[in-house]
Every structure is written in C-alpha cells, then in structure tokens.
Amino acid sequence: MGSRLGLVLLAVGIGLLGGGIIAYLTGAMTIADVSRDCRVLGGPCPAGEGETLRTGQNEELGGAASIVAGLVLTVLGFGIGVRTKRP
C-alpha cells in the first residue's frame, strides 16, 4: 500500500513540477512582452499592456506555487517509496 502511495505522490509531484516550470516560463515571456515603462516604472501603460502584465505576473506566481508543491510531493513520494522497500 505504501509503495503505491509513494508512486502516486511521485507521479503527481513530477507532473506539478513540469507544469509549474512551463507556467513560470510562460509568465516570464509574457512579462517580457510588456514595455519597459509599464513593467519597471509602473505606468503609463499603453492600452492592454496593464492587463498583459497582470496576466504574466499571475502565471509566474501560479507556476512558482506549482513548482514548490511538485517538489514537496516528489520528495514525499520518493521518501515513501524508498522507505517501504526496506525489509
């Protein structure tokens, strides 16, 4: 039972980790598309760039949270899997 749980946690953790990396990089690329004045100085933002900036920041935040959750679940899954294989 513990080995299956470890395998499930490991699979979910790796999935979250991979998805989080993709989301974080997508957010970074979205933010890079916003003009320097809007991104660094905080305004004035041309039409639509403010929303693009917020979207990119949310993607980065969600990606970072997914990376952390994925790392935690991967370590837990690996730990459970290794611990239950000992005699």
Side-chain angles (χ1 to χ4, degrees):
M1 175 72 177
S3 180
R4 288 183 189 159
L5 177 62
L7 187 61
V8 169
L9 287 175
L10 188 63
V12 171
I14 290 172
L16 281 172
L17 183 62
I21 290 170
I22 291 170
Y24 185 83
L25 292 176
T26 301
M29 288 187 291
T30 302
I31 291 173
D33 288 339
V34 176
S35 68
R36 180 186 172 279
D37 290 340
C38 183
R39 185 181 48 214
V40 177
L41 303 176
C45 296
E49 278 198 355
E51 185 61 35
T52 302
L53 180 62
R54 281 188 291 280
T55 300
Q57 289 170 337
N58 287 334
E59 287 174 356
E60 274 190 339
L61 181 62
S66 182
I67 289 170
V68 170
L71 284 174
V72 168
L73 290 178
T74 300
V75 169
L76 284 175
F78 186 69
I80 289 172
V82 168
R83 185 174 28 171
T84 57
K85 291 183 181 178
R86 292 183 181 166

